[in-house]
Amino acid sequence: MPRPWRFAVHDRAIVAQLSRRLRCTPLVAAVLAARGLVAEEEARRFLHAKLTDLHDPTLLPGASEAATRIVSALRAGRRITIYGDYDVDGVTATAILWHCLRLAGAEVDYYIPSRLEEGYGLNLDALRKLHAEDPRRLVVTVDCGIGSLAEAELARQLGLELVVTDHHTVGGELPDAACLVHPRLPGGAYPFGDLCGAGVAFKLAWVTCQQLGDGRKASPRMREFLLSAVGLAALGTVADVVPLRDENRILVRHGLVSLARQAPLGLATLMKRAGLEQRERLVAEDIGFTLAPRLNAAGRLGQARLAVELLITTDADRARQLAEYVDELNKNRQTVERKILKQARELVAQQGWEDQPALVLAHPEWHPGVIGIVAGRVAESFARPAILIALDEANGCGQGSGRSYGGYDLYAALCACDEHLEGFGGHRAAAGIRIRQNAIDAFRRQFTTVVAETAADAADDDELDVDAEVLLADLTHPAVTELEQLGPYGCEHPRPVFASTGVELAAPPRTMGEGGQHLGLRLRQGRTTLRAVAFGRGDWAEELATVQGPISVCYKAAINRYQGRESVELQLLDWQPDRAAAAAPTTSR
């Protein structure tokens, strides 16, 4: 069944004016207007965002105090331990601070908990171990800790100095650490609250470099480091799927350039293995679909320390070994993921849960490190929030990972069901839980009830927002290439979506990929014919083959680069017979 298409309403005069004054194609101007960027200066700042537009790092709540503690520990010769998370955001945040402190001459190491054995974030045993090894050390968390009340209390009792830096949702009570750094800290007034863990670590490194300099400016050497660290911050920002607005957009825009020109040795080696080394410029999708899954695979399969080592090593042979190993881990992860997805779909069918407002699925064979990815695919496949739980029947516990759908606030729903959970954390779009096996049924009932009662506000998000209706002839190579100026694309700033009517199939549809899971098309409108693909929609082939007459298509336009050749390619999102499209309502966003 086609999704509703919601067309942006354009003022043609404004689009023409933007195109003329910004010297851009009408296609780019139409997208700017569709996204509310109709004032010339605002649109110009968006198109040409500068690093100097980043907010003053000293405005970040707790950053100045944390930097003071770090510099004091460094000058006293104390060990500084960076306690990171095992996902890409966590390992890039760890690498940023490690590079900064090592360059400054600090005695620095890092601790990454095992996803499989220790779980997310700070844990009591790790703090006891770190204290026993060196009670004078300073522990700085990155991408975790804002909900670690018991752990912060233990650190205080042990006399272990603990600085918490995080970006996750702040609970009703804050940990009693020596210092907290968080963009949404209560009482703070930071201009942008959606930094990821790597973004917070970058801003803390910036303040630290200032304090190591003259108090206002970093030394030339540390400034050069900060410019290169933008690449790692971009990697964490894209991988953590935070909104690509404001500072996040700036970090990713410039970080992609930094990665293409001067990526750290290990990351450059991984990029070469992934086939990205010949790219003159990278796009956010190169991180999201190529680099991040490989780095994440290490953490998902219990080897996150190796991902950090890959990002900080200066040994070419070790970089090659680690890149090969991480790449192999990613292939293993994909195999496990396919099996879990198949079992999840079978479980929904067996239990008759197709009409449930949300899905809570559990299985003893599932790998806890991979269920988050599969939860996202299940949510997309069934168009509803989904939580997958990996059961450990030996101890009667389960580790779960959830993904939202259609803008629904997953974290708020978990807050309403916390009586059934041993623990949980996350944000609107993604969360993790710990639960006793005998509590799963009760949790499923309450969670699905909560979602049913509160999902109405997110229902409209199933609509496809269309930036503009265009002719296929408008999608020339120069015009589609110029759309990259609007990037980087990602969360809350997706690639532009276009629609075209009166389109015919220039050849019979065909399936592609393993098991025929993808769809390939040749679309024709007038004298223009373009190739189109629909990922994961091989099931459309049979239905499209029976359509009589023209169709309307909804798609993203991109440049396909293959074996040195470039061509415009459409990524099909939806289609419908032309008569249905003509009747579709046209409403403003």
Side-chain angles (χ1 to χ4, degrees):
M1 180 177 177
R3 295 163 62 184
W5 299 2
R6 181 168 56 187
F7 289 79
V9 177
H10 294 100
D11 184 320
R12 293 186 178 182
I14 289 178
V15 171
Q17 185 180 69
L18 279 175
S19 177
R20 183 174 65 257
R21 292 186 175 179
L22 297 176
R23 297 182 179 180
C24 64
T25 63
L27 200 63
V28 168
V31 176
L32 287 169
R35 302 192 179 189
L37 296 165
V38 294
E40 179 183 348
E41 284 308 309
E42 183 183 16
R44 197 180 300 278
R45 283 196 303 271
F46 182 86
L47 288 174
H48 306 291
K50 303 174 182 177
L51 276 175
T52 52
D53 294 331
L54 290 171
H55 303 305
D56 182 344
T58 61
L59 296 176
L60 182 64
S64 293
E65 180 186 349
T68 298
R69 290 178 179 274
I70 289 171
V71 172
S72 176
L74 185 156
R75 288 174 175 163
R78 294 166 55 200
R79 180 186 301 275
I80 301 174
T81 297
I82 305 163
Y83 192 113
D85 187 24
Y86 41 65
D87 66 2
V88 175
D89 190 20
V91 299
T92 51
T94 300
I96 289 169
L97 275 190
W98 188 93
H99 279 296
C100 175
L101 299 179
R102 176 55 66 93
L103 192 62
E107 183 180 356
V108 57
D109 59 12
Y110 57 90
Y111 186 94
I112 308 292
S114 167
R115 183 177 199 140
L116 307 181
E117 298 173 6
E118 299 173 87
Y120 167 76
L122 282 172
N123 69 80
L124 300 174
D125 288 341
L127 288 177
R128 292 189 184 101
K129 177 183 176 181
L130 292 172
H131 177 264
E133 290 175 353
D134 185 352
R136 294 183 64 249
R137 78 199 320 154
L138 167 65
V139 177
V140 182
T141 77
V142 290
D143 194 33
C144 64
I146 199 62
S148 301
L149 306 182
E151 291 78 7
E153 178 58 29
L154 175 64
R156 183 169 291 279
Q157 291 173 5
L158 293 172
L160 188 65
E161 188 176 8
L162 175 66
V163 170
V164 169
T165 83
D166 202 353
H167 74 108
H168 291 98
T169 302
V170 177
E173 186 177 353
L174 295 173
D176 188 16
C179 179
L180 302 177
V181 182
H182 195 294
R184 293 187 301 278
L185 204 63
Y190 194 64
F192 182 64
D194 287 325
L195 289 172
C196 68
V200 172
F202 174 80
K203 301 304 282 282
L204 175 57
W206 187 352
V207 182
T208 301
C209 289
Q210 288 178 331
Q211 293 194 14
L212 288 168
D214 63 8
R216 290 179 53 254
K217 292 184 179 180
S219 68
R221 187 183 184 205
M222 300 307 283
R223 175 180 168 80
E224 184 179 345
F225 152 72
L226 288 170
L227 290 173
S228 66
V230 173
L232 289 174
L235 184 53
T237 299
V238 173
D240 215 49
V241 200
V242 289
L244 289 191
R245 299 181 286 103
D246 203 285
E247 288 195 294
N248 288 340
R249 171 177 165 76
I250 297 170
L251 288 171
V252 175
R253 177 181 174 86
H254 292 275
L256 289 169
V257 175
S258 176
L259 289 176
R261 292 178 179 173
Q262 52 179 7
L265 175 63
L267 191 55
T269 306
L270 182 64
M271 290 167 62
K272 181 177 181 179
R273 185 164 183 84
L276 297 178
E277 82 281 6
Q278 298 299 326
R279 299 282 182 90
E280 291 186 6
R281 65 178 292 162
L282 298 175
V283 295
E285 289 89 342
D286 291 326
I287 292 177
F289 298 116
T290 304
L291 295 178
R294 286 169 167 78
L295 291 170
N296 252 336
R300 293 185 184 283
L301 300 179
Q303 302 286 340
R305 284 187 61 87
L306 297 181
V308 178
E309 186 182 353
L310 177 65
L311 297 179
I312 67 175
T313 186
T314 57
D315 183 287
D317 287 339
R318 183 60 175 161
R320 178 183 51 77
Q321 293 170 358
L322 289 168
E324 290 175 356
Y325 185 60
V326 166
D327 192 49
E328 193 62 34
L329 284 177
N330 188 54
K331 293 176 182 176
N332 295 340
R333 187 268 306 168
Q334 291 172 327
T335 300
V336 174
E337 177 189 317
R338 285 193 291 269
K339 179 180 178 182
I340 295 176
L341 181 59
K342 180 175 182 291
Q343 291 174 325
R345 286 173 170 162
E346 291 172 349
L347 190 58
V348 172
Q350 290 167 3
Q351 297 294 332
W353 287 337
E354 293 91 341
D355 296 327
Q356 290 290 305
L359 295 171
V360 177
L361 310 175
H363 201 289
E365 295 178 8
W366 289 349
H367 194 296
V370 179
I371 53 175
I373 300 176
V374 183
R377 301 203 173 183
V378 171
E380 286 294 325
S381 179
F382 291 94
R384 68 206 66 184
I387 296 176
L388 269 62
I389 301 170
L391 294 175
D392 184 343
E393 294 184 316
N395 62 19
C397 292
Q399 183 175 330
S401 190
R403 296 294 184 270
S404 183
Y405 180 81
Y408 182 73
D409 191 338
L410 181 64
Y411 184 83
L414 292 177
C415 289
C417 306
D418 64 348
E419 63 191 276
H420 302 295
L421 302 174
E422 297 294 301
F424 70 98
H427 45 78
R428 291 182 63 95
I433 68 170
R434 295 193 309 276
I435 188 170
R436 301 293 301 178
Q437 185 172 352
N438 57 16
I440 291 176
D441 289 340
F443 168 70
R444 179 185 295 112
R445 287 192 295 270
Q446 185 171 1
F447 181 72
T448 54
T449 298
V450 169
V451 173
E453 293 173 349
T454 58
D457 292 340
D460 287 345
D461 287 348
D462 190 41
E463 295 181 326
L464 272 172
D465 285 327
V466 180
D467 289 280
E469 183 176 338
V470 301
L471 299 174
L472 295 189
D474 296 331
L475 303 172
T476 63
H477 188 284
V480 175
T481 300
E482 192 175 333
L483 286 174
E484 290 301 330
Q485 289 187 22
L486 295 169
Y489 297 113
C491 178
E492 295 191 13
H493 180 53
R495 281 192 173 275
V497 173
F498 302 110
S500 298
T501 60
V503 175
E504 300 175 335
L505 296 180
R510 61 186 181 87
T511 58
M512 310 180 300
E514 184 178 347
Q517 59 182 323
H518 307 307
L519 174 70
L521 295 171
R522 299 284 295 175
L523 299 178
R524 180 172 57 220
Q525 186 188 52
R527 296 181 178 180
T528 303
T529 301
L530 294 175
R531 180 175 183 267
V533 295
F535 296 110
R537 298 317 306 248
D539 56 306
W540 281 348
E542 186 175 346
E543 187 179 358
L544 273 165
T546 64
V547 172
Q548 301 293 321
I551 61 174
S552 294
V553 289
C554 191
Y555 54 86
K556 298 177 183 180
I559 300 297
N560 180 289
R561 297 175 175 88
Y562 181 69
Q563 294 184 342
R565 292 177 293 180
E566 296 187 353
S567 60
V568 174
E569 181 178 86
L570 309 184
Q571 297 174 5
L572 191 65
L573 302 176
D574 199 15
W575 67 276
Q576 49 191 260
D578 241 8
R579 60 182 180 276
T586 300
T587 58
S588 172
R589 295 182 189 176

